[in-house]
């Protein structure tokens, strides 16, 4: 939304709105779907639309509502596959966590905050080669429930730092969350752990995007499907407005970027 020019109008889906020539409007749903449009100054009822569509979500590993998990002396995070991803590419990557956190305020209300821990706090390691036979290496079959849960720490380190389960609250939610995850989120946001009411968190590869090839003709990046289209859509309508494109425009220029395309657009 930082790219949307000032002097626009935020729409409410529950109200009837009168649109004006030269007007600029947008609305969001769940703060993850964005629709924005600008009415040409020469627009007349019955004229056309110029539309760019996209979606804001990408296949990823999403932290489960009950994030606590451990195995073989390692503290893990319970994750689930969101969308149709190429899951074998997530192994041996430096993974961070990002998303939104619902925070309790002093007055009892809930505030949404964005968080991004952009460092290698998680990893999904491959099994050492001498612990696999040749058939297993050739097949590389993935059990999504057991093989994709990233390691966040060892149980010994957790015990030494005092992050023990006995210190957790039993409120029906906190006791099912990994304390180390909650502590990281609280530290990143500068809040108390007890203020965290819920979260929607995703894993991401901390390696930044780059240009590749001898002539730099390739873009190497995660989430090109479909954040690249979303960025260009927002940039195009902003440039169209700032460059005076509405002056002689007879149409409505509109961008629509939906969430949850990867798992069914009806929930957008």
């Amino acid at each position: 939304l930082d790219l949307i020019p000032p002097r626009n109008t935020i729409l409410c889906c529950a109200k009837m709105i009168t649109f004006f020539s030269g007007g600029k409007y947008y609305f969001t749903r769940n703060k993850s779907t964005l629709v924005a449009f600008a009415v040409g100054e020469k627009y007349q009822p019955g004229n056309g639309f110029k539309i760019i569509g996209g979606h804001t979500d990408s296949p990823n590993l999403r932290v489960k509502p009950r994030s606590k998990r451990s195995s073989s002396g390692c503290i893990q995070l319970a994750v689930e596959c969101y969308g149709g991803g190429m899951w074998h590419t997530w192994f041996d990557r430096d993974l961070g966590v990002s998303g939104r956190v619902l925070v309790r305020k002093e007055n009892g209300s809930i505030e949404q905050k964005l968080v991004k821990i952009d460092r290698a706090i998680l990893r999904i390691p491959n099994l050492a080669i001498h612990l696999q036979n040749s058939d297993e290496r050739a097949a590389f079959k993935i059990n999504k429930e057991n093989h994709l849960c990233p390691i966040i720490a060892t149980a010994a380190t957790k015990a030494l730092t005092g992050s023990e389960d006995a210190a957790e609250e039993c409120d029906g939610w906190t006791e099912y969350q990994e304390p180390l995850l909650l502590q990281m989120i609280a530290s990143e946001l500068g809040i108390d752990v007890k203020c965290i009411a819920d979260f929607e968190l995703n894993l991401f590869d901390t390696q930044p995007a780059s240009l590749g090839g001898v002539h730099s003709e390739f873009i190497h990046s995660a989430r090109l499907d479909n954040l690249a289209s979303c960025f260009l859509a927002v940039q195009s309508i902003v440039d169209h407005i700032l460059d005076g494109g509405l002056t002689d425009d007879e149409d409505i220029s509109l961008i629509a970027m939906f969430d949850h395309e990867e798992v069914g657009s009806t929930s957008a």
Side-chain angles (χ1 to χ4, degrees):
L1 295 181
D2 292 339
L3 292 177
I4 302 295
R7 297 185 299 279
N8 49 48
T9 302
I10 304 175
L11 303 183
C12 176
C13 296
K15 296 180 180 179
M16 295 295 294
I17 302 293
T18 300
F19 303 119
F20 300 94
S21 298
K24 300 174 284 292
Y25 310 88
Y26 75 90
F27 72 88
T28 66
R29 182 175 179 179
N30 198 33
K31 295 190 176 181
S32 58
T33 289
L34 170 67
V35 175
F37 59 95
V39 183
E41 294 183 7
K42 294 185 178 181
Y43 174 80
Q44 296 295 325
N47 288 7
F49 288 78
K50 297 189 287 284
I51 301 175
I52 301 177
H55 59 91
T56 60
D57 61 330
S58 300
N60 65 79
L61 295 176
R62 180 163 292 186
V63 179
K64 286 185 175 182
R66 296 187 175 190
S67 61
K68 184 183 293 185
R69 182 187 174 105
S70 62
S71 178
S72 302
C74 291
I75 306 302
Q76 299 174 285
L77 287 187
V79 299
E80 59 186 347
C81 296
Y82 176 87
M86 300 177 64
W87 307 121
H88 65 278
T89 64
W90 286 77
F91 283 79
D92 296 327
R93 295 278 187 173
D94 294 334
L95 302 176
V97 173
S98 65
R100 58 175 133 196
V101 182
L102 300 182
V103 179
R104 296 186 185 92
K105 300 179 68 176
E106 292 183 358
N107 60 6
S109 63
I110 300 295
E111 179 183 10
Q112 175 180 294
K113 291 181 176 289
L114 299 180
V115 65
K116 182 180 181 183
I117 303 176
D118 195 6
R119 57 189 181 92
I121 59 173
L122 299 165
R123 197 171 185 88
I124 306 171
N126 262 303
L127 189 63
I129 188 171
H130 55 277
L131 298 179
Q132 306 176 68
N133 60 41
S134 58
D135 292 336
E136 290 173 328
R137 291 195 296 271
F140 196 66
K141 294 181 180 179
I142 300 173
N143 182 310
K144 296 179 181 179
E145 286 296 320
N146 296 325
H147 296 162
L148 289 174
C149 292
I151 295 173
I152 190 172
T154 63
T157 302
K158 179 179 178 181
L160 290 172
T161 56
S163 305
E164 289 302 312
D165 296 348
E168 298 170 15
E169 290 191 13
C170 295
D171 56 8
W173 183 82
T174 306
E175 63 265 33
Y176 298 111
Q177 308 306 326
E178 172 50 50
L180 294 175
L181 175 64
L182 297 182
Q183 291 167 14
M184 281 192 303
I185 295 173
S187 176
E188 194 74 18
L189 296 178
I191 61 175
D192 192 275
V193 170
K194 295 180 180 180
C195 295
I196 300 176
D198 204 350
F199 54 67
E200 182 182 284
L201 299 175
N202 309 285
L203 276 57
F204 69 95
D205 187 356
T206 59
Q207 179 177 339
S210 63
L211 296 177
V214 67
H215 300 297
S216 297
E217 67 264 49
F218 303 114
I219 300 176
H220 299 161
S221 176
R223 298 174 296 282
L224 290 176
D225 176 15
N226 191 248
L227 294 188
S229 297
C230 290
F231 174 80
L232 292 173
V234 174
Q235 192 65 60
S236 66
I237 193 170
V238 170
D239 289 346
H240 179 59
I241 294 170
L242 296 182
D243 292 344
L246 296 182
T247 303
D248 297 317
D249 198 342
E250 300 178 352
D251 301 320
I252 294 177
S253 301
L254 182 146
I255 61 173
M257 292 170 288
F258 301 102
D259 194 7
H260 299 163
E261 188 275 343
E262 297 290 348
V263 293
S265 295
T266 56
S267 59

